[in-house]
Amino acid sequence: MTLDQLLTDTKPALSHIYNEDLPELSQAKDWQSKYRILMHLGRKLPPIPEKMKQPSLLVKGCESRAWLMHYYNKHQDQHFFVLDSEARIVKGLMAIMLCLVNGMSNTELKKFDLAHAFDKLNLKPYLSQSRGSGLNAMMVRIKDCCH
Amino acid sequence: MLPFDPVNFRGQFEFFQHNPDWVYLDNAATMHKPNAVIDAITAFYQRNNSNVHRGAHSLSQNATRAFEQARDDIATFVNARERQQIVFCSGATAALNQIAFGLMHTVLKAGDRVLITALEHHANIVPWQMHCARFGVTLDVVPLDNQHQVDQQAFSEMLQRKPKVVSLSHISNVLGHIQPVVQMINQAKAAGALTVVDGAQGIVHDSIDMQALDADFYVWSGHKLFGPTGIGVLYGKTAALELLTPIFGGGEMISEVQFSHSLFNILPFRLEAGTPDIAGAIGLAAATNWLQKVNRNEIKNYKAMLLNQFFEGLKRIDGLDILSSPVHNAGIVALNVQGEHPADVAELLNQQKVAVRGGQHCAMPFFSQLGLAGAVRFSFAPYNNEADVTTSLQALTQAVEILTA
Ligand SMILES: Cc1ncc(COP(=O)(O)O)c(C=O)c1O
């Protein structure tokens, strides 16, 4: 497995999540359905193989361990990420984050406001847990990839 | 002494009136405070607030009297031989740092050893690591047996290496297991070691008689004993406290200061630099005075009953790995849902307003030995009730269902 392949596998998963699952999530009535969907999202992201999970990819500041890999396409000015987490709910939330930022230009990514984006998707309540879950730590790490 | 009445007891915690739909089972992290404590703190600030040990005015003398009365009350609570053996500090962490730093040079010299166990909280690991490394002292760790208890055989063997200090927790904050501290202290003393007990979880479980226990040091945090945050106690035998080099210098702890040198004050002030947490000490004494009015054996039995009900209920939920043993347990259950991360389980419980801790509970080395990402920890207090047990079991069942669907 290479980063290239992972990125290729991640791409259709993300567009599926964006087009199918996010609308479903924002309409889910009870917390049970919401969390079922979140965990389902996490499962859609291809996992980073154990061998590739170098300590340098570990995102600190999470109760659960999470890993981030980054690729920048210079010619097209696009940032791409793959990530993984050992906790499923966190991974689901991170999958949503990834839908929003993957493919962004450097300027777009720098300006990206996670809270605002989650608010627009009616996902604000999930953000309250973001500190503990490491979502913020992951966002900081993603932004650190900007130049 | 009053008999323990669970309904009346819970009624004294306003927190539950403001949070009626929460089940609070994170008591090992911090406990709620009864009105007696909140009222004592409020009354101090409203009526008696002044600095201690320094004012020429009677207001300060009143505050000093209240603060020193708090020390007396706490000394009585744990049956300390002398009042100066109660040193106020900010909590168990501060106390353990003071001890680890304070024994270097006076007791611990390069080449010496300190012995801790594999079941310790970071607060009883990291201070030793920090200071041992700088002073050339070796830190040894007693391993666990396959029941997740401290391996007593290994403990006896490691004592033969003649550690100068043995530091161990009374009750594990991860598993709730009550260590055989009396026996371990006696063995450590026979081997010539100074003994330190981290009583952060132990102090609330049972009444403790410091003279009978006979450890050199016993430390705890007020906030896990129905008291406020920011205050704790470093108890030590007088001779043991005299061995400690103060970690903080400043006002109160000196008897004479010149630019060339200073002379330290007597105990306990020598170890209490700066303005103390006056209201905190008064709040903590209010907690211990309040607790002493109730029959603590009945409290213990009630908590054991809740714990037992909880363990029974767990038997009806499939797919759990229970790490805690029901025997010699102070009211803590650590478990995992097989194949699931504890953070997910804790979050699904949080959604159902059941407050637990999920993760490594400041005991990373413990979990890495077991190869686990952590655990979900349910910890009980005497203000919990049977409804809390039922609701939390239902919530856990629901969480397992969602996770394994
Ligand atoms: C066994 C044990 N030791 C030490 C501590 C540290 O207590 P504090 O953070 O109040 O200083 C705790 C608190 O979680 C504990 O459970």
Side-chain angles (χ1 to χ4, degrees):
Chain A
M1 184 71 81
T2 62
L3 178 56
D4 246 12
Q5 263 171 292
L6 266 177
L7 283 167
T8 317
D9 294 350
T10 302
K11 209 170 171 188
L14 288 181
S15 65
H16 197 261
I17 289 173
Y18 192 79
N19 295 319
E20 316 271 323
D21 298 309
L22 282 189
E24 201 189 330
L25 184 63
S26 58
Q27 272 157 33
K29 294 262 162 359
D30 50 18
W31 72 269
Q32 288 98 326
S33 330
K34 286 181 186 152
Y35 276 81
R36 281 203 181 93
I37 296 170
L38 274 181
M39 289 190 305
H40 180 63
L41 297 188
R43 239 174 273 154
K44 285 193 175 172
L45 281 189
I48 299 178
E50 288 304 318
K51 278 203 194 104
M52 291 172 76
K53 286 179 181 163
Q54 299 300 321
S56 61
L57 304 181
L58 207 57
V59 180
K60 298 262 158 52
C62 320
E63 272 279 350
S64 47
R65 287 185 303 168
W67 297 265
L68 180 75
M69 295 176 86
H70 169 242
Y71 166 74
Y72 178 62
N73 183 326
K74 231 195 292 187
H75 301 298
Q76 280 154 7
D77 178 25
Q78 277 187 307
H79 287 278
F80 292 98
F81 301 91
V82 287
L83 52 75
D84 204 348
S85 162
E86 34 177 36
R88 282 153 66 183
I89 296 170
V90 173
K91 193 170 175 192
L93 289 168
M94 287 178 174
I96 298 176
M97 207 159 84
L98 219 51
C99 285
L100 303 172
V101 302
N102 244 17
M104 275 188 174
S105 72
N106 197 58
T107 323
E108 284 171 328
L109 187 58
K110 264 188 177 163
K111 278 198 307 211
F112 179 70
D113 178 350
L114 183 69
H116 184 68
F118 265 49
D119 199 13
K120 277 212 311 219
L121 292 166
N122 280 330
L123 297 174
K124 197 92 180 261
Y126 299 107
L127 267 183
S128 58
Q129 251 86 53
S130 61
R131 244 185 102 93
S133 68
L135 213 53
N136 279 349
M138 182 60 89
M139 197 62 230
V140 169
R141 185 72 170 253
I142 286 179
K143 291 236 174 185
D144 278 349
C145 296
C146 291
H147 49 263
Chain B
M1 200 187 311
L2 300 169
F4 171 66
D5 169 3
V7 175
N8 175 287
F9 191 85
R10 185 178 169 94
Q12 298 179 53
F13 293 81
E14 241 179 77
F15 177 87
F16 298 111
Q17 286 150 41
H18 295 292
N19 299 276
D21 42 2
W22 273 93
V23 172
Y24 186 81
L25 294 177
D26 196 14
N27 293 292
T30 198
M31 300 188 84
H32 295 298
K33 327 299 173 197
N35 291 334
V37 170
I38 297 167
D39 291 348
I41 296 169
T42 309
F44 170 73
Y45 280 128
Q46 285 178 340
R47 298 167 197 200
N48 291 330
N49 181 51
S50 275
N51 210 331
V52 292
H53 303 142
R54 48 189 89 179
H57 48 86
S58 352
L59 291 174
S60 165
Q61 284 155 24
N62 290 345
T64 304
R65 213 173 295 125
F67 178 69
E68 291 303 329
Q69 182 63 46
R71 196 187 309 276
D72 286 333
D73 291 352
I74 292 165
T76 306
F77 179 70
V78 294
N79 193 30
R81 192 184 299 275
E82 298 161 36
R83 64 187 314 279
Q84 69 191 27
Q85 296 175 333
I86 302 297
V87 174
F88 286 119
C89 59
S90 68
T93 302
L96 290 164
N97 274 279
Q98 166 64 76
I99 295 169
F101 171 85
L103 291 176
M104 296 293 159
H105 278 326
T106 61
V107 171
L108 291 160
K109 311 226 157 64
D112 286 343
R113 312 186 87 93
V114 170
L115 187 59
I116 61 172
T117 85
L119 212 49
E120 300 308 314
H121 186 280
H122 293 166
N124 196 24
I125 303 173
V126 185
W128 295 111
Q129 272 175 348
M130 287 165 59
H131 300 302
C132 286
R134 283 182 49 215
F135 287 86
V137 173
T138 305
L139 185 60
D140 293 317
V141 184
V142 189
L144 302 179
D145 63 18
N146 49 17
Q147 307 288 308
H148 309 152
Q149 313 270 5
V150 173
D151 186 334
Q152 295 299 321
Q153 173 87 32
F155 177 64
S156 302
E157 284 164 19
M158 292 175 93
L159 283 177
Q160 287 166 16
R161 295 187 199 159
K162 296 284 167 208
K164 288 265 183 73
V165 178
V166 172
S167 188
L168 51 102
S169 55
H170 187 170
I171 291 173
S172 155
N173 66 303
V174 182
L175 301 171
H177 296 171
I178 304 167
Q179 313 278 359
V181 272
V182 174
Q183 178 201 320
M184 292 173 84
I185 289 169
N186 286 338
Q187 273 184 273
K189 278 196 302 203
L194 273 176
T195 50
V196 183
V197 181
D198 172 359
Q201 301 292 338
I203 190 75
V204 71
H205 180 64
D206 221 332
S207 40
I208 293 177
D209 180 330
M210 292 302 167
Q211 295 183 53
L213 187 66
D214 205 33
D216 292 297
F217 299 103
Y218 191 102
V219 309
W220 75 89
S221 297
H223 69 99
K224 295 181 205 271
L225 182 63
F226 304 103
T229 49
I231 188 81
V233 173
L234 159 53
Y235 159 87
K237 288 187 192 168
T238 304
L241 289 173
E242 295 288 9
L243 291 170
L244 297 179
T245 308
I247 192 166
F248 292 125
E252 289 276 313
M253 56 81 68
I254 32 64
S255 59
E256 184 188 323
V257 178
Q258 295 180 0
F259 281 120
S260 58
H261 72 285
S262 300
L263 295 178
F264 293 162
N265 202 340
I266 53 166
L267 287 173
F269 311 113
R270 195 167 69 81
L271 298 171
E272 292 180 351
T275 298
D277 182 357
I278 308 164
I282 289 167
L284 180 55
T288 57
N289 290 339
W290 165 84
L291 192 56
Q292 264 175 314
K293 289 197 195 121
V294 192
N295 184 325
R296 292 194 67 193
N297 255 330
E298 287 177 18
I299 292 186
K300 218 167 77 173
N301 292 340
Y302 175 75
K303 218 168 73 171
M305 190 261 308
L306 293 180
L307 186 70
N308 192 41
Q309 282 185 3
F310 189 73
F311 266 112
E312 282 303 309
L314 289 179
K315 287 186 187 157
R316 291 190 288 277
I317 305 176
D318 287 335
L320 299 180
D321 274 330
I322 299 170
L323 303 177
S324 299
S325 149
V327 291
H328 300 307
N329 188 313
I332 295 178
V333 183
L335 56 80
N336 274 305
V337 177
Q338 277 159 19
E340 303 298 337
H341 196 279
D344 287 329
V345 182
E347 177 55 35
L348 293 175
L349 291 171
N350 175 46
Q351 285 300 315
Q352 301 173 77
K353 293 198 158 49
V354 175
V356 298
R357 180 99 186 254
Q360 305 196 324
H361 323 300
C362 297
M364 276 188 212
F366 169 78
F367 286 105
S368 25
Q369 289 165 80
L370 297 184
L372 291 172
V376 184
R377 180 183 72 184
F378 299 77
S379 50
F380 290 85
Y383 45 61
N384 288 123
N385 54 28
E386 298 184 36
D388 290 344
V389 173
T390 316
T391 312
S392 57
L393 286 167
Q394 279 165 355
L396 182 60
T397 308
Q398 171 81 248
V400 174
E401 250 172 56
I402 293 177
L403 284 164
T404 51

